[in-house]
Amino acid sequence: MPLSAPLFVRSLSPQCQQHPTTSHNRSVLHYRLFFIVVTVATADMSFTNSYKQNDSPVEPGYGPDPYDINWMMPLHETTLESDRVKLTPFIPSLNARPYAEQVKAHPDMHRYYPLDLTSLDKILLSIETLIRRNPANILFAIIDKARGDAFAGVIGLIGTSPTNLSVELAWVVVFPEFRRSYVTSNAVGLLLNYCLELPSAPPERPGLGFRRVQWSAHPENQPSVALAKRMGLKEEGVLRWTWVVPQVVEGNGIPVRDGDPASPSPGRDSIILSLCADDWESGGREHVQRIIDR
């Protein structure tokens, strides 16, 4: 149905005329009023939605051979290595089984994590569906060079946005025998260097040039929050209900409402911290390097 609307326009036409009460010329503005009818034609618009949920089950497995990490960013391997620690892409055929053995020996290892990683099959499933099939995510194995290239844990990047130059540092798991040592600080420090250093940095240490590295932690996981702060990240606040988590992991303790689509899976809040490019350039780089060198 056509719609009509009046539009009033004031037209200013300066003209020089003899004013009747003066003996000199004065500029006089003449106002013209127009009534314009604007017709907006509306029409029925058709649309379609071709989205189809892929319900095909994913069987736990070790992935393709050779293993395709499917990572959207350049992998600067020299930046991901210090004198004592090296980060290398997690390869399930090499790393998944020893990871599962650590979980079996230490059942509380993932208490605050939003994933069910309680068995080898569940580890393989999570890595395939959440990491390898999503080019915005990557998982690294932490290698302790000082102890004979021992597999010391895992650490990852998720939610990579080349458009916004941002990423989240996540899935930080250091096996108990390697904790309270240089391993954790080196692993986190190497990833911060990799993400925040500029691509134009010296050839041996180029980075991705991101502006923001985020860290999120369960509000009760104080060791995680303390580690992030020690590495120079700044606390920004708490995001509520950021995850729907499996029943086997720690939620926020708040019952979900009746009819919740994901019930009975609980929700989880997250403390958000970040280290950004301006922090990096105003002392963050040096702070992280001092920790790596300790």
Side-chain angles (χ1 to χ4, degrees), residues 29-276:
L29 299 179
H30 291 268
Y31 295 81
R32 295 174 184 157
L33 185 64
F34 293 87
F35 186 86
I36 301 174
V37 176
V38 179
T39 301
V40 181
T42 61
D44 293 335
M45 298 184 66
S46 61
F47 63 88
T48 185
N49 182 359
S50 62
Y51 172 78
K52 293 181 181 179
Q53 183 172 342
N54 186 356
D55 293 323
S56 301
V58 179
E59 296 295 329
Y62 293 95
D65 185 18
Y67 190 70
D68 179 8
I69 62 173
N70 191 35
W71 171 233
M72 63 166 57
M73 303 302 296
L75 191 68
H76 301 310
E77 295 182 74
T78 56
T79 309
L80 294 168
E81 184 171 357
S82 68
D83 292 338
R84 295 177 288 184
V85 170
K86 176 173 65 176
L87 304 183
T88 186
F90 186 101
I91 300 176
S93 60
L94 296 177
N95 306 125
R97 190 170 295 280
Y99 186 7
E101 291 171 355
Q102 287 285 336
V103 174
K104 184 177 180 180
H106 309 282
D108 289 337
M109 183 180 294
H110 299 115
R111 176 183 175 185
Y112 295 116
Y113 288 73
L115 305 174
D116 184 353
L117 301 168
T118 53
S119 69
L120 174 61
D121 280 354
K122 290 176 179 177
I123 289 171
L124 290 171
L125 194 63
S126 292
I127 291 171
E128 175 63 19
T129 57
L130 300 178
I131 300 296
R132 199 191 72 80
R133 296 196 183 194
N134 187 340
N137 301 339
I138 187 170
L139 189 66
F140 295 96
I142 304 172
I143 305 301
D144 187 349
K145 295 166 57 178
R147 301 192 211 183
D149 287 345
F151 178 36
V154 297
I155 191 168
L157 297 172
I158 65 172
T160 306
S161 174
T163 301
N164 293 315
L165 298 177
S166 65
V167 70
E168 181 172 336
L169 199 158
W171 204 328
V172 183
V173 179
V174 176
F175 302 147
E177 66 179 287
F178 298 93
R179 294 175 188 170
R180 291 178 291 278
S181 72
Y182 53 84
V183 170
T184 304
S185 56
N186 272 243
V188 174
L190 288 170
L191 269 193
L192 290 174
N193 268 296
Y194 174 55
C195 293
L196 290 167
E197 200 56 81
L198 290 167
S200 58
E204 66 275 8
R205 294 291 181 196
L208 300 178
F210 283 176
R211 297 177 181 177
R212 174 182 174 85
V213 177
Q214 179 172 294
W215 181 296
S216 67
H218 192 294
E220 294 182 13
N221 191 354
Q222 288 307 308
S224 176
V225 175
L227 170 61
K229 290 182 176 180
R230 183 161 63 89
M231 299 303 299
L233 285 87
K234 300 177 181 179
E235 185 173 340
E236 296 180 336
V238 177
L239 290 183
R240 301 183 302 154
W241 297 95
T242 50
W243 289 87
V244 172
V245 298
Q247 290 178 271
V248 296
V249 301
E250 198 88 14
N252 59 14
I254 303 173
V256 298
R257 57 186 174 173
D258 292 341
D260 183 285
S263 179
S265 298
R268 201 201 87 171
D269 304 338
S270 295
I271 294 180
I272 303 299
L273 307 97
S274 72
L275 187 65
C276 299

Side-chain angles (χ1 to χ4, degrees), residues 1-19:
M1 180 177 180
L3 301 176
S4 297
L7 179 64
F8 293 91
V9 179
R10 187 177 69 180
S11 175
L12 303 181
S13 302
Q15 297 178 357
C16 186
Q17 298 180 347
Q18 182 71 29
H19 195 278

